[in-house]
Amino acid sequence: RVSLELVGAARDGRRAPLLQVMTLPGPIGRWRTSLDHEFDVVDAASAESFVATRSALAYSLAPRSASCATLLAAQCLHVATTSAGIGYWTREEALAACAPLVALLVRLHGSWASFAAAFLAGEKTCGNPDDVRHLVFAQVVGRLLDDERSPWLDVPWPDAAAA
């Protein structure tokens, strides 16, 4: 999703606002297939189960492993926003599920760079590491940190006191 939007923005000579809303580039069917294959999410109930279970695990791991907690929270955010984008959830349901996860990530990290490093560390060491996927994620994260169209350069990392 991130890479597609950054490529599209570069091709069209524009910023990348789709990274800040729950709109999905490309056919919805591909997103449904991706949620099913990657996360076993096939409907609203399975999205709810995934997000609830993994959110609880992220919170429980946070004191011991910021990287694993970050990966789990990021996966939940992806599932929640994609579920809204394909119609499993409403935007409001997705935002409600995302709020505590964002608060956790803001507490764990002080910048996009810190979040990115922990996400990549978690992706490499927690769960089911995959070298090819890790390389793709590393490239996408690098672009988010450096690409002039990236919202990470426009949207400051939230202040922990405000979250």
Side-chain angles (χ1 to χ4, degrees), residues 10-108:
R11 180 191 62 235
D12 300 341
R14 61 176 172 79
R15 307 286 307 154
L18 290 180
L19 295 179
Q20 299 175 45
V21 297
M22 291 174 221
T23 303
L24 302 173
I28 296 299
R30 283 194 292 175
W31 292 100
R32 283 193 175 114
T33 300
S34 174
L35 278 186
D36 181 13
H37 288 171
E38 292 180 50
F39 305 108
D40 294 324
V41 170
V42 296
D43 56 19
S46 57
E48 170 62 30
S49 176
F50 180 94
V51 171
T53 302
R54 299 269 175 117
S55 292
L57 187 55
Y59 267 91
S60 71
L61 286 173
R64 297 184 311 278
S65 176
S67 60
C68 288
T70 297
L71 174 66
L72 289 166
Q75 289 173 339
C76 289
L77 292 170
H78 173 70
V79 167
T81 56
T82 303
S83 291
I86 63 177
Y88 291 163
W89 284 1
T90 65
R91 184 177 191 278
E92 291 73 25
E93 289 170 324
L95 289 172
C98 290
L101 294 161
V102 170
L104 173 65
L105 291 171
V106 168
R107 194 175 78 234
L108 291 174

